[in-house]
Amino acid sequence: MKKILIILGFIGAILAVIFSVTPLYNIALMPLIVAFVCGIALVFMTKTAASKPKAIQYIFLLVIIALSITIYKAVFNTSEIGDIEQLEQRDEQNLEDSKELLEDIEIDENF
């Protein structure tokens, strides 16, 4: 059981770090939660049986790194909203350009 929790904790923590550095940082919360829960379960398991806590420390280190990157991106990443009028004008101009191109094309109806 302990080895399964260690493996799940490492997988969750590594996935969380990978997702947190990509534009998919919102998805990083699910592996973070899995890794954190596995780490907490491992802490309680090691209190009952004497074992080395190195794996638990690495899991929590990766969780802290991923959580800090995710929080940083959530706070400082701003999405820019463009000017709607400018976008509508561009759409109208593209539509007019398309109509002009279609009018200029000569279609030979005799095959």
Side-chain angles (χ1 to χ4, degrees), residues 43-76:
V43 167
F44 288 124
M45 284 184 159
T46 55
K47 284 189 177 185
T48 59
S51 64
K52 296 181 180 179
K54 282 289 183 187
I56 301 168
Q57 292 172 352
Y58 291 139
I59 290 172
F60 280 125
L61 178 68
L62 289 172
V63 165
I64 290 169
I65 290 170
L67 187 62
S68 62
I69 293 171
T70 304
I71 290 172
Y72 173 79
K73 280 190 169 186
V75 170
F76 292 109

Side-chain angles (χ1 to χ4, degrees), residues 33-104:
I33 293 170
V34 170
F36 187 72
V37 168
C38 288
I40 294 294
L42 285 168
V43 167
F44 288 124
M45 284 184 159
T46 55
K47 284 189 177 185
T48 59
S51 64
K52 296 181 180 179
K54 282 289 183 187
I56 301 168
Q57 292 172 352
Y58 291 139
I59 290 172
F60 280 125
L61 178 68
L62 289 172
V63 165
I64 290 169
I65 290 170
L67 187 62
S68 62
I69 293 171
T70 304
I71 290 172
Y72 173 79
K73 280 190 169 186
V75 170
F76 292 109
N77 217 10
T78 58
S79 57
E80 296 178 14
I81 300 174
D83 188 18
I84 295 175
E85 293 176 7
Q86 200 174 39
L87 292 174
E88 289 175 355
Q89 289 175 357
R90 192 178 315 156
D91 286 340
E92 289 175 7
Q93 185 178 5
N94 287 339
L95 183 63
E96 290 173 7
D97 290 342
S98 299
K99 285 180 183 179
E100 289 175 9
L101 287 174
L102 288 175
E103 289 173 356
D104 292 341

